[in-house]
Amino acid sequence: MRRHHALVLGGAGFVGSHLCDRLLARGDTVYCFDNLETGRLENIAHLDDHERFVFVRGDVVVPFQFPVDRIYNLACPASPPRYQVDPVKTTLTSVLGTLNALRLGARSGARVFFASTSEVYGDPEVHPQPEVYRGCVNTVGPRACYDEGKRCAESLMTDFARQHGVEIRIARIFNTYGPRMDPADGRIVSNFITQALCSEDLTVYGDGTQTRSFCYVDDLIDGIVALMDHPTFSEPVNLGNPDEFTVLALADLVRELTRSECGLVFGPLPEDDPKLRRPVVDRARDLIGFRPKVKLREGLERTIEYFEAQLEAELSGSGRRLFGQRHRPGRRAATGT
Ligand code: NAD
Ligand code: UDP
């Protein structure tokens, strides 16, 4: 197999750091470019001495140059509380970051991958969501900075392919979880596990009947790498695990697996929070043989193990204070079970 020189934008983040590992393991040289806004040096610390790994701190909104033939653009905060901190920056990160990646692709002939999202479908009226569904996004809501930034980036990707002949690959990623998620970033899996490990009640937003389909990170990385390696396909491809769970079902599973006695505390459903989400993955299956293998129970066990180790390190004073800094949502009615 040909060895590539790859640039991973957002490579110190949760998904990006796993992608760096996978590319290095197959022999690629990896440049990891990240402003550490939501990423962490801990995620790539094990690569410090790797001879084919280079970390450069910087921001994708400013043009960049690297000697590469593959560009993976994952730079963007992914958790709603995080991407809503500075919504203007979030939009610019997606749009300008993708523009700069594509300009480098046009100059160098590098193939460009873009990490798009199930959020392009908004609060969907079609369930489950195939790639041909065009979505239902509120352009002026609190999630718009993320959703519309990603939608604009998809359109830039496609126009650079049409207008400038850049080779592109677009994945629409559905909720992904696993080790190296930031315990402080406010997403459901990290919130529930950290809360359970700290014997706090789990924060359920709304009535907990909304659904998500959770994909273990290793399965997602299989999909990203296979899609990037596909010789021609340039249209968007859903990547995710089609097994669908309610928020309440996830809460029960986390409580069982952590053997936690914690209850549930209900808070308001955030504005525009999608009520249902499940990918149709036929396109990915037919195109690249994508078949997620890791069941939620098994993936959660591995993720809980990771968070337990983080918590232990923090309690022993050898780890950074991550649990203590985590996102604490406002609480409304306490209804422990
Ligand atoms: P993450 O927040 O852990 O990683 C994002 C990385 O991008 C971080 O390391 C962050 O520091 C970096 N970054 C943010 N803005 C930047 C900028 N302006 N310049 C340089 N670096 C910047 O999130 P993640 O879960 O690893 O997500 C990775 C990508 O996948 C994101 O683009 C996200 O939108 C997409 N995605 C993730 C999921 C998911 O469930 N994890 C779902 C859909 C899409
Ligand atoms: N959620 C929740 N409790 C939390 C965090 C999230 O009930 O502590 C809900 C959230 O309202 C959404 C779902 O879990 O319905 C997934 O949220 P997340 O932020 O992980 O990702 P999203 O898919 O909304 O981007």
Side-chain angles (χ1 to χ4, degrees):
M1 193 203 309
R2 188 173 153 206
R3 293 186 174 174
H4 296 282
H5 283 69
L7 172 61
V8 181
L9 307 172
F14 157 52
V15 176
S17 62
H18 286 279
L19 179 61
C20 291
D21 286 348
R22 183 71 68 86
L23 296 176
L24 288 166
R26 75 174 194 179
D28 290 357
T29 295
V30 174
Y31 295 87
C32 167
F33 188 58
D34 199 302
N35 68 355
L36 301 179
E37 188 177 314
T38 54
R40 296 180 293 157
L41 287 176
E42 289 97 307
N43 289 343
I44 48 169
H46 59 290
L47 302 175
D48 271 354
D49 298 326
H50 198 295
E51 58 179 6
R52 283 181 282 107
F53 181 76
V54 180
F55 172 70
V56 178
R57 186 169 183 169
D59 200 303
V60 294
V61 302
V62 180
F64 42 83
Q65 177 70 40
F66 289 89
V68 292
D69 62 333
R70 293 272 168 107
I71 303 167
Y72 297 82
N73 182 12
L74 287 80
C76 187
S79 148
R82 286 283 174 86
Y83 68 62
Q84 289 167 14
V85 167
D86 187 349
V88 173
K89 179 68 194 288
T90 298
T91 302
L92 293 179
T93 292
S94 281
V95 176
L96 295 182
T98 303
L99 179 69
N100 288 327
L102 286 162
R103 284 186 169 151
L104 175 54
R107 285 197 301 275
S108 63
R111 185 178 293 176
V112 182
F113 167 92
F114 177 59
S116 186
T117 168
S118 52
E119 283 282 327
V120 299
Y121 302 121
D123 188 5
E125 298 145 315
V126 170
H127 190 71
Q129 294 81 52
E131 290 88 348
V132 290
Y133 176 50
R134 292 184 185 174
C136 176
V137 174
N138 176 2
T139 59
V140 294
R143 299 173 88 102
C145 58
Y146 185 72
D147 303 7
E148 296 296 348
K150 294 283 188 180
R151 287 169 69 101
C152 181
E154 281 196 13
S155 110
L156 269 176
M157 291 281 289
T158 310
D159 284 335
F160 262 78
R162 281 193 283 249
Q163 217 175 316
H164 302 294
V166 174
E167 284 189 53
I168 60 156
R169 303 289 179 267
I170 301 171
R172 290 183 180 154
I173 300 170
F174 284 63
N175 297 65
T176 298
Y177 69 98
R180 301 194 197 146
M181 289 188 92
D182 184 343
D185 86 358
R187 282 185 266 192
I188 188 168
V189 173
S190 45
N191 270 7
F192 280 6
I193 295 177
T194 54
Q195 287 162 348
L197 293 179
C198 295
S199 302
E200 293 171 6
D201 292 343
L202 310 190
T203 50
V204 173
Y205 304 161
D207 62 8
T209 56
Q210 70 270 36
T211 68
R212 294 294 186 271
S213 304
F214 299 101
C215 183
Y216 189 67
V217 64
D218 289 358
D219 285 331
L220 174 69
I221 299 294
D222 287 347
I224 292 178
V225 170
L227 181 60
M228 186 60 144
D229 284 345
H230 190 279
T232 51
F233 199 81
S234 59
E235 288 174 42
V237 178
N238 286 343
L239 291 181
N241 188 323
D243 293 347
E244 185 179 4
F245 295 83
T246 63
V247 161
L248 289 176
L250 180 73
D252 283 344
L253 194 50
V254 168
R255 288 194 294 184
E256 180 198 326
L257 295 174
T258 53
R259 290 173 291 280
S260 170
E261 301 282 303
C262 61
L264 305 180
V265 63
F266 289 83
L269 188 69
E271 194 180 335
D272 294 334
D273 198 290
K275 285 173 262 323
L276 298 172
R277 183 181 288 160
R278 172 154 61 102
V280 173
V281 289
D282 296 4
R283 184 177 277 182
R285 189 197 54 218
D286 296 348
L287 202 63
I288 53 174
F290 179 69
R291 277 190 186 76
K293 295 187 255 323
V294 182
K295 293 284 173 207
L296 184 59
R297 173 177 289 271
E298 184 190 344
L300 282 178
E301 278 168 351
R302 294 188 208 169
T303 311
I304 289 166
E305 237 171 74
Y306 169 79
F307 280 117
E308 275 173 339
Q310 296 259 304
L311 182 59
E312 263 168 43
E314 186 173 316
L315 291 175
S316 71
S318 62
R320 201 150 66 84
R321 287 197 65 243
L322 295 168
F323 277 70
Q325 293 173 0
R326 67 186 195 278
H327 176 74
R328 285 173 194 276
R331 294 181 172 200
R332 203 176 51 176
T335 359
T337 57

